[in-house]
Amino acid sequence: GTLVTPLIDVNSQGLVTKLVAPSFEYRYQYDAEGNNIRQELTRGTSKDITVFELDNKQNVAAKVIPFFKGQPDLSFYTGRENGYNFNHNMTAEKFLFADISGVEKSRGANIITYQYNSNGLPTAGSRTSTDASGNSIETAAMSYTYVGCTN
């Protein structure tokens, strides 16, 4: 058989900016600290977009599974998404799609709020999921416990 491997573009910080495979293409944008702030998935004429907003506090999840120096962030292969590749805590995850003319429209969002301890680490929070019109469709509470570390 034929082995087909994706094309991966990496920026000067070692972060993946584009991944192209036969049936899809991912593009990633980062802020100055290397946080993934936007990703686009294109399949044919369909484009799904996720925009991430972050607070200015330390994300302890980023410390749980460290990257090796010089190793590209391949979180889409290793399952390290959902906050592990952010230096700060995600406060919004906005889901969009681009119509045939390229106009971006909302599919919904997750809005996350946190309460912090004196060291700026999250101790509790809540996530509200919204539909495309901004109506709340689900809420969930979160709590954080730190064991074996100084918090």
Side-chain angles (χ1 to χ4, degrees):
T2 303
L3 176 64
V4 177
T5 58
L7 165 70
I8 298 174
D9 287 349
V10 178
N11 68 13
S12 62
Q13 294 175 301
L15 300 169
V16 173
T17 56
K18 182 168 71 170
L19 176 133
V20 179
S23 61
F24 64 87
E25 176 178 312
Y26 273 103
R27 290 184 180 264
Y28 299 92
Q29 293 178 10
Y30 303 91
D31 65 14
E33 292 184 65
N35 296 296
N36 181 2
I37 56 171
R38 181 181 173 100
Q39 75 181 29
E40 300 176 358
L41 169 60
T42 303
R43 289 187 208 117
T45 59
S46 167
K47 183 184 282 189
D48 293 311
I49 303 157
T50 307
V51 176
F52 304 100
E53 295 178 6
L54 309 171
D55 65 13
N56 61 358
K57 309 286 191 212
Q58 177 181 330
N59 177 359
V60 293
K63 308 300 181 198
V64 174
I65 308 173
F67 287 117
F68 296 105
K69 186 175 177 85
Q71 175 186 7
D73 175 2
L74 300 175
S75 60
F76 42 84
Y77 280 135
T78 62
R80 291 194 40 194
E81 342 185 286
N82 301 319
Y84 293 119
N85 55 344
F86 297 125
N87 295 316
H88 303 288
N89 303 296
M90 186 186 328
T91 57
E93 184 178 28
K94 297 179 179 179
F95 307 107
L96 309 153
F97 71 97
D99 67 17
I100 196 75
S101 64
V103 175
E104 295 179 6
K105 298 180 180 180
S106 176
R107 286 192 194 274
N110 290 321
I111 307 301
I112 305 159
T113 58
Y114 300 95
Q115 289 80 51
Y116 303 94
N117 64 18
S118 61
N119 292 322
L121 301 176
T123 57
S126 65
R127 186 199 79 230
T128 301
S129 297
T130 64
D131 63 17
S133 299
N135 301 310
S136 177
I137 56 174
E138 179 184 47
T139 16
M142 304 175 294
S143 64
Y144 300 82
T145 303
Y146 302 100
V147 177
C149 60
T150 304
N151 60 3

